[in-house]
Amino acid sequence: MPAAAPDPRLQAFGFAVRDAREHSDMSLEALAEAAGISARMLIGIEHGRRNPSLLTILAIAEGLDLAPADLVAKGSRRDNSA
């Protein structure tokens, strides 16, 4: 059975995380370390395959020096399916 397609909202949030990370000139490994999560988990989030908990979203936002609401809002604006 093929894997289900990622939820577009998770994809949009993942794109927002990746965009913010790249805009901050951070490597994936540096952000993962700053957020206290594994690089593998961060890859899954950025690709829309992982559904991060609130605590993970807070940690990522802190690692990016962004307000969590700004990061979530950026992902919500990219999602045209909702």
Side-chain angles (χ1 to χ4, degrees):
M1 178 180 226
D7 186 295
R9 296 168 294 185
L10 293 177
Q11 288 180 312
F13 179 74
F15 181 85
V17 170
R18 183 173 49 249
D19 187 55
R21 176 178 60 77
E22 291 174 349
H23 188 29
S24 297
D25 290 326
M26 289 185 84
S27 70
L28 189 133
E29 292 80 9
L31 177 55
E33 185 174 330
I37 62 175
S38 71
R40 186 175 192 157
M41 176 182 269
L42 184 56
I43 290 168
I45 292 168
E46 287 189 358
H47 289 219
R49 294 189 308 261
R50 302 281 312 243
N51 187 359
S53 71
L54 176 58
L55 292 176
T56 300
I57 292 169
L58 294 172
I60 290 170
E62 185 176 323
L64 291 166
D65 197 28
L66 293 174
D70 293 340
L71 189 57
V72 171
K74 186 174 183 180
S76 296
R77 286 191 301 270
R78 285 198 53 83
D79 177 28
N80 296 323
S81 68

